[in-house]
Amino acid sequence: MTHFTKLTMLAGLATAGIFAVPAHAQDMTTDDKPFSGLYIGAAGGYDVQPNDVGSSILFDRNGDGNFSDSVNTITGANAFSPGFCNGSARTAVPAYGCRNDDDGWSYYGRAGFDVQSGPFVVGLVGEFGKAEITDSVAAFSTTPASYTMARKLKWEGSVRARAGLAARNTLFYATGGAGYAKIDNLFFTTNTANAFAATGSDKRWGYVGGGGIEQKLTKNISIGMEYTYHQYKDDDARVLVTAGTALAGSPVLLANNPFLIAPNTAGTTFRRSDDQFRWHSLRGTVSFRF
């Protein structure tokens, strides 16, 4: 609820700002097609993520690509019986729980082109920028130890259609299209005995959709408020757990390590159960129309 409270407050402030434009500004443009033409601009605001309730880390113990295996101790007990939590682990102790996913500010540049016919406006807009957000999930083992897999947005670009209705110098529109993002996959653990190799950072296709309001202030300048939802499939992040030098030098510890118990001594692979990176964005916009 905290995430959406932030968005609601920002939406209220932005809406108040747009509709508080002095009445005389409504009449500063006399063009019968105020939203036609090429424009450039910028957008900035705040992005939040829904903590994915029920997310966990899955395990492949024998390297067959099936992530439905259990990691058990030498006695057969579940080594991850303390469970999982959404966010990054605070410590190795499960009782201290996890930090919430990181929300943060976003900032984008944009350019687009609209065509207006009567009150109807259609066009295309392209954006490039980033949001300071990180999406994490953590697991706790009986050692005790914690294991956090995180994904972080490096940058994002999108090309979207816009379609809406103009009421004099105010445009109400919907928008949607393809997104392309660089996503970094990260791994953190308090386990210092095993060795860990993380992979999976990559560029991903996804989609961006939402809507907004744009208000002309002068013939060339407009401001607005825009909400967008972003979603990218991110399912290639893997962490391979092997013996490492600490365990390789001790046959007893090696034979009893849950990740390496015979007959599958090559190690264990982790992946996230949730394969979608998604977030909500609320931004203010400013544009210069040529």
Side-chain angles (χ1 to χ4, degrees), residues 47 51 102 134 144 147 179 214-215 225 237 240 251 254 266 290:
D47 290 21
N51 275 6
D102 292 337
T134 304
Y147 309 80
E214 184 177 346
Q215 173 67 50
M225 178 185 71
L240 176 61
L254 187 63
F290 294 94

Side-chain angles (χ1 to χ4, degrees), residues 39-118:
Y39 63 90
I40 59 172
Y46 200 75
D47 290 21
V48 301
Q49 296 176 89
N51 275 6
D52 295 315
V53 177
S55 295
S56 65
I57 293 176
L58 305 178
F59 309 101
D60 176 10
R61 275 287 291 118
N62 56 11
D64 66 355
N66 184 352
F67 286 85
S68 60
D69 301 334
S70 296
V71 177
N72 298 324
T73 66
I74 196 69
T75 65
N78 184 355
F80 282 87
S81 57
F84 309 89
C85 67
N86 304 310
S88 59
R90 297 180 185 276
T91 69
V93 180
Y96 289 100
C98 289
R99 302 177 185 88
N100 287 334
D101 288 336
D102 292 337
D103 303 328
W105 298 104
S106 60
Y107 30 91
Y108 287 73
R110 56 169 52 186
F113 185 87
D114 291 324
V115 176
Q116 183 172 354
S117 177

Side-chain angles (χ1 to χ4, degrees), residues 14 22 42 47 72 75-76 79 94 112 132 137 144 147-148 156 177 183 188 191 200 202 215 218 258 261 275 278:
D47 290 21
N72 298 324
T75 65
E132 302 292 344
V137 62
Y147 309 80
T148 297
E156 180 193 31
I183 299 170
F188 310 96
N191 178 336
D202 208 349
Q215 173 67 50
T218 70
I261 291 175
D275 62 1
R278 50 198 166 200

